[in-house]
């Protein structure tokens, strides 16, 4: 196994590849979750959440589409999760990968498909893991390590930069002097679009 080791897993000076918001253009979504666990409790706060448009509460079907944040190969697509390998080697354990969680079975992109930034991944749902409402959970890894959304390498999605305040699910997306705060539910204060 040591022949396959990558040391250090997170190299100094690492930068995130270009990424966009996981939303189709012109559609208002809600920024509902600031930095929190990428995969269950105890993992790095690598994830942020977005809820689709609509007034329905809870776990309801959505016609909205989650789109790819970058170009890459789909390496997993089941149980509500879609994993995209961004370096094209077909292994989401090396280089950059993105997890889209709570993606509905209906319309979910299949394994092996190469998608471009902005192409449809699937519909947000509550499928896979614990969820109190329909949304997409977005997280990043590099060489298998979760990259914190509130750390030294925050998310940069269309220029929106993630940050947190040390309280799980609290946080902001900031761009050009504007800050959008994460709120549970649909509020005027948490609307975001491409």
């Amino acid at each position: 196994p040591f022949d396959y080791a990558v040391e250090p897993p997170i190299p100094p000076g690492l930068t995130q590849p270009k990424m966009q918001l996981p939303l189709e253009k012109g559609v208002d979504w809600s920024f509902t979750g600031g930095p929190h666990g990428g995969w269950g409790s105890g993992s790095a706060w690598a994830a942020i959440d977005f809820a689709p448009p609509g007034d329905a509460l809870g776990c309801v079907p959505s016609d909205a589409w989650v789109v790819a944040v970058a170009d890459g190969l789909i390496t997993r697509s089941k149980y509500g999760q879609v994993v995209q390998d961004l370096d094209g080697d077909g292994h989401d354990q090396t280089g950059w990968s993105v997890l889209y969680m709570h993606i509905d079975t209906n319309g979910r992109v299949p394994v092996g498909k190469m998608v471009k930034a902005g192409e449809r991944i699937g519909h947000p749902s509550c499928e896979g893991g614990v969820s109190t409402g329909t949304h997409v959970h977005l997280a990043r890894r590099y060489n298998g390590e979760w990259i914190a959304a509130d750390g030294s390498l925050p998310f940069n999605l269309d220029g929106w930069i993630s940050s947190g305040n040390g309280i799980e699910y609290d946080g902001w997306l900031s761009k050009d002097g504007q800050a959008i705060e994460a709120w549970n539910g649909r509020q005027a204060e948490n609307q975001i679009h491409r």
Side-chain angles (χ1 to χ4, degrees), residues 13-26:
L14 179 66
T15 58
Q16 175 198 283
K18 183 178 179 182
M19 293 185 188
Q20 66 174 49
L21 288 164
L23 330 168
E24 288 191 303
K25 284 187 177 181

Side-chain angles (χ1 to χ4, degrees), residues 107-173:
R108 188 168 55 221
V109 66
V111 169
K113 180 170 175 118
M114 180 63 86
V115 295
K116 298 281 188 187
E119 288 187 21
R120 292 174 170 178
I121 296 289
H123 299 285
S125 73
C126 290
E127 189 176 324
V130 177
S131 177
T132 59
T134 299
H135 72 286
V136 62
H137 169 98
L138 184 70
R140 308 164 299 167
R141 292 188 307 164
Y142 186 80
N143 287 340
E145 298 286 326
W146 295 108
I147 304 297
D150 62 347
S152 60
L153 187 55
F155 267 106
N156 180 340
L157 303 168
D158 286 319
W160 289 98
I161 308 300
S162 63
S163 62
N165 62 4
I167 299 172
E168 194 171 22
Y169 290 97
D170 282 354
W172 295 266
L173 288 173

Side-chain angles (χ1 to χ4, degrees), residues 26 49 71 73 88 111 123 133 158-159 166 184 190:
D49 292 343
D71 298 352
L73 180 67
V111 169
H123 299 285
D158 286 319
N184 186 10
N190 71 348

Side-chain angles (χ1 to χ4, degrees), residues 4 19 67 75 81 86 104 110 113-114 142 144 168 193:
Y4 298 99
M19 293 185 188
V67 300
T75 56
Q81 60 183 283
L86 302 188
D104 192 66
K113 180 170 175 118
M114 180 63 86
Y142 186 80
E168 194 171 22
H193 63 270

Side-chain angles (χ1 to χ4, degrees), residues 28 30 51-62 134 185-188 191:
D28 287 338
S30 301
D55 295 326
L57 299 175
C59 295
V60 296
S62 175
T134 299
R186 188 172 178 82
Q187 310 286 331
Q191 297 303 287

